[in-house]
């Protein structure tokens, strides 16, 4: 029996940004549902964080969810098993109040799991492990120790796995809690990674610059053969241009590829200021990009001697912050400082500046 695995959809991401609504819709309309129809798969396991906001749902986001996700699933008679993730819960210490239970009552094909439970698919028993918190921790551990299942699906915060490019989780539960299982599949971290037993599946599409050049998509899992197949999402919304007019002629550069994208222009070499301004103006006004940012202030650094490390840190806020923390002289736990700064950065990115 084959099932679809999808996780961390974060519908309503980036403050319900309409450009991301359109980008997400493109994935469902052009990638996800065409695959479902072609292969006639009738079961989906959602590994948590269907919604982005924990406290409330935007009406347009709810309309999008029903029109683009829930109704197409119902019309196809697809059963959806939906685990509760941390972004689906109102409180951080309990799963009792969650958006999925509150919003999906009218959909008989959607089954929500706020607490651990063993479910059977085609003769194969699996354990569903939703977000673990102080209230349900003891019950979760009991299931992990006693559940008659070799496969676990969860929304887990485990230490030692890559959260985003170059950043590994320092906090979270020890993966030894799950050592008795043959396979563990999880949501929560948006970058796909695994250690051969625990598989973080990653988000289906890009949401922040941390997702740049990070392959996205969903998975098909064969419960009988244990084969996991990734279906990649070809659509990208974050793109970078490394501007170097010593090597490239930008008069012939195809700017149509940046339509409906967020673009960063990283200036490596700029010898002809007029041609650069002409290219930048064309990119900003004629490409159809949502946003174009130009990064060229390297202070006294000679562009010809810019190292890959400096370039990477210049274009990625979190990498720059982490390098700064590594360089400071302090007795504080630097890994914990990085985690705190990452949380603050994510929270700041989600602020609705229009209301400030």
């Amino acid at each position: 029996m084959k099932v679809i695995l999808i996780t961390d959809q974060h519908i309503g991401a980036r403050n319900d940004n309409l450009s991301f609504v359109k980008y997400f819709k493109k994935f469902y309309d052009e990638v996800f549902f065409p695959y479902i129809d072609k292969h006639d798969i009738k079961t989906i396991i959602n590994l948590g964080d269907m919604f982005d906001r924990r406290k409330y749902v935007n009406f347009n986001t709810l309309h999008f969810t029903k029109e683009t996700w829930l109704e197409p699933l119902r019309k196809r008679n697809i059963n959806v098993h939906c685990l509760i993730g941390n972004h689906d819960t109102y409180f951080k210490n309990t799963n009792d109040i969650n958006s999925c239970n509150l919003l999906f009552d009218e959909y008989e094909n959607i089954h929500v799991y706020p607490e651990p439970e063993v479910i059977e698919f085609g003769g194969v028993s699996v354990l569903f492990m939703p977000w673990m918190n102080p209230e349900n921790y003891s019950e979760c551990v009991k299931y992990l120790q006693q559940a008659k299942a070799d496969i676990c699906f969860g929304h887990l915060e485990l230490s030692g796995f890559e959260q985003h490019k170059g950043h590994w989780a320092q906090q979270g539960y020890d993966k030894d809690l799950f050592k008795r299982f043959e396979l563990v599949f999880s949501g929560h971290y948006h970058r796909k990674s695994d250690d051969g037993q625990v598989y973080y599946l990653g988000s289906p599409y890009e949401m922040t610059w941390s997702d740049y050049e990070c392959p996205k998509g969903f998975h098909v899992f064969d419960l009988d053969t244990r084969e996991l197949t990734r279906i990649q999402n070809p659509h990208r919304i974050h793109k970078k241009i490394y501007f170097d007019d010593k090597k490239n002629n930008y008069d012939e550069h195809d700017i149509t590829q940046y339509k409906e994208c967020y673009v960063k222009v990283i200036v490596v070499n700029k010898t002809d200021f007029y041609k650069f301004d002409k290219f930048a103006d064309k990119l900003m006004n004629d490409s159809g990009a949502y946003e174009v940012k130009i990064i060229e202030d390297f202070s006294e650094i000679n562009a010809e001697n810019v190292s890959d490390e400096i370039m990477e840190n210049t274009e990625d806020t979190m990498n720059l912050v982490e390098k700064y923390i590594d360089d400071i002289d302090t007795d504080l736990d630097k890994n914990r400082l990085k985690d705190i700064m990452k949380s603050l950065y994510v929270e700041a990115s989600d602020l609705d500046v229009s209301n400030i």
Side-chain angles (χ1 to χ4, degrees), residues 18 39 41-42 89 92 107 142-143 159-160 189 221 263 274 281 290 296 300 311-312 323 335 347 349:
L18 294 180
H39 297 276
I41 294 177
K42 294 298 184 182
T89 63
K92 293 184 177 181
Y107 296 92
K142 179 181 177 181
Y143 269 86
S159 61
Y189 301 148
F221 180 61
V263 182
Y274 171 74
D281 183 72
Y290 290 129
E296 59 176 329
E300 299 179 356
M311 284 296 296
E312 182 64 26
K323 186 176 185 302
N335 287 325
E347 186 174 345
S349 298

Side-chain angles (χ1 to χ4, degrees), residues 11 16 51 53 55-62 65 99 103:
I11 299 175
D16 306 285
F51 291 99
R53 294 185 183 274
K55 298 295 186 181
Y56 61 89
V57 61
N58 175 286
F59 285 132
N60 185 62
T61 293
L62 182 58
T65 306
S99 54
L103 297 174

Side-chain angles (χ1 to χ4, degrees), residues 242-247 266-273 276 295-312 314-315:
Y242 290 89
F243 186 92
D244 186 350
D245 60 8
K246 289 185 177 181
K247 296 181 179 179
I266 315 297
V267 180
V268 180
N269 283 299
K270 180 177 64 173
T271 61
D272 189 322
F273 284 70
F276 174 79
I295 300 173
E296 59 176 329
D297 182 14
F298 298 125
S299 300
E300 299 179 356
I301 298 175
N302 186 333
E304 294 182 353
N305 298 318
V306 174
S307 69
D308 291 339
E309 180 183 7
I310 293 173
M311 284 296 296
E312 182 64 26
T314 303
E315 68 196 64

Side-chain angles (χ1 to χ4, degrees), residues 47-266:
L47 279 67
D49 281 3
M50 177 176 290
F51 291 99
D52 189 66
R53 294 185 183 274
R54 294 176 46 247
K55 298 295 186 181
Y56 61 89
V57 61
N58 175 286
F59 285 132
N60 185 62
T61 293
L62 182 58
H63 172 73
F64 166 82
T65 306
K66 290 190 173 186
E67 182 182 61
T68 308
W69 177 248
L70 299 175
E71 289 299 334
L73 291 170
R74 177 155 64 180
K75 289 177 182 178
R76 290 169 170 81
N77 295 314
I78 295 174
N79 281 310
V80 182
H81 299 268
C82 185
L83 281 71
I84 297 301
N86 58 307
H87 275 254
D88 300 315
T89 63
Y90 185 84
F91 296 108
K92 293 184 177 181
N93 62 347
T94 176
N95 294 345
D96 284 349
I97 300 177
N98 64 80
S99 54
C100 298
N101 272 137
L102 291 170
L103 297 174
F104 299 159
D105 277 352
E106 65 181 286
Y107 296 92
E108 295 181 356
N109 62 315
I110 297 182
H111 316 280
V112 179
Y113 299 87
E115 300 301 333
E117 189 172 341
V118 174
I119 302 295
E120 186 176 297
F121 294 99
V124 178
S125 295
V126 303
L127 173 62
F128 282 165
M129 183 59 59
W131 182 247
M132 298 170 64
N133 56 65
E135 184 182 73
N136 69 5
Y137 178 78
S138 296
E139 185 71 6
C140 289
V141 171
K142 179 181 177 181
Y143 269 86
L144 291 174
Q145 294 173 343
Q146 302 177 10
K148 295 181 179 180
D150 296 324
I151 300 172
C152 177
F153 295 105
H155 193 89
L156 312 170
E157 186 174 46
L158 303 181
S159 61
F161 289 87
E162 196 171 10
Q163 294 176 291
H164 60 83
K165 187 177 180 180
H167 184 90
W168 278 261
Q170 303 297 323
Q171 295 178 318
Y173 298 108
D174 194 302
K175 68 178 184 179
D176 283 349
L177 274 174
F178 298 82
K179 64 182 179 181
R180 62 176 290 267
F181 292 94
E182 175 188 344
L183 291 169
V184 178
F185 300 104
S186 182
H188 192 48
Y189 301 148
H190 291 188
R191 185 172 177 86
K192 179 178 170 66
S193 67
D194 70 86
D195 66 355
Q197 183 226 357
V198 178
Y199 290 77
Y200 276 94
L201 302 181
S203 54
Y205 28 62
E206 299 177 8
M207 283 173 266
T208 69
W209 276 104
S210 295
D211 294 321
Y212 175 72
E213 288 193 336
C214 176
K216 299 296 180 179
F218 62 99
H219 293 75
V220 180
F221 180 61
D222 190 320
L223 287 156
D224 300 315
T225 66
R226 306 298 201 260
E227 182 181 3
L228 182 69
T229 304
R230 188 181 206 182
I231 311 302
Q232 192 160 319
N233 177 6
H235 303 305
R236 298 166 53 200
I237 198 170
H238 298 95
K239 295 185 178 181
K240 294 179 182 179
I241 303 169
Y242 290 89
F243 186 92
D244 186 350
D245 60 8
K246 289 185 177 181
K247 296 181 179 179
N248 302 300
N249 179 8
Y250 290 91
D251 290 336
E252 301 174 358
H253 193 85
D254 178 18
I255 64 170
T256 61
Q257 61 185 298
Y258 306 112
K259 183 179 180 180
E260 297 179 346
C261 291
Y262 289 82
V263 182
K264 283 185 180 180
V265 181
I266 315 297

